[in-house]
Amino acid sequence: QVQLVESGGGLVQPGGSLTLSCVASGSIFSIDAMGWYRQVPGKQRELVAVITSGGMTNYADSVKGRFTISRDNAKNTMYLQMNRLKPEDTAVYYCNQQLRRLTWSTPINYWGQGTQVTVSS
């Protein structure tokens, strides 16, 4: 079974920094795209950042220049470095792994349990 375990959430003041980690198991991590999503009550889950197996990245406009997504394939771990945090960054952050194979008709998505990030004075 694929499992994603997140850590690193917490309470920080505006302008502060926080690093989230996601450890994957039960899959060939190195060939799959990974991503961070976030969700607040009453709103849809939104994409924060994505990183391919080769290290190419993409970010939501709201976090460009402040957040950095990275991965260490040897450790099956993905990270999200969050700097200059704002109150509007407050959300539950989820780790995502999307499995795609040439012989599959559709991809399979797996999600972590979520970790709370609260940015407040």
Side-chain angles (χ1 to χ4, degrees):
Q1 310 79 235
V2 174
Q3 282 191 222
L4 303 173
V5 180
E6 303 168 354
S7 62
L11 174 64
V12 292
Q13 295 185 357
S17 298
L18 203 61
T19 300
L20 306 182
S21 299
C22 172
V23 179
S25 63
S27 66
I28 308 176
F29 176 87
S30 62
I31 67 172
D32 294 318
M34 302 288 296
W36 288 99
Y37 290 71
R38 66 187 182 188
Q39 187 172 28
V40 299
K43 296 184 178 180
Q44 294 184 328
R45 190 172 299 183
E46 66 175 357
L47 174 69
V48 176
V50 171
I51 184 167
T52 70
S53 61
M56 293 182 289
T57 59
N58 217 62
Y59 298 89
D61 289 341
S62 59
V63 306
K64 285 182 179 178
R66 298 189 298 118
F67 290 10
T68 301
I69 188 172
S70 62
R71 66 192 295 164
D72 186 338
N73 287 340
K75 297 180 178 180
N76 286 359
T77 303
M78 177 181 63
Y79 306 93
L80 184 67
Q81 176 65 50
M82 303 183 292
N83 298 320
R84 291 180 283 125
L85 284 161
K86 305 175 181 180
E88 50 263 44
D89 293 319
T90 296
V92 177
Y93 284 70
Y94 295 91
C95 174
N96 168 263
Q97 181 175 14
Q98 185 170 81
L99 280 62
R100 307 183 78 101
R101 304 292 184 265
L102 290 177
T103 58
W104 295 1
S105 298
T106 58
I108 298 177
N109 284 283
Y110 290 92
W111 299 90
Q113 80 285 356
T115 184
Q116 177 70 47
V117 173
T118 302
V119 185
S120 176
S121 298

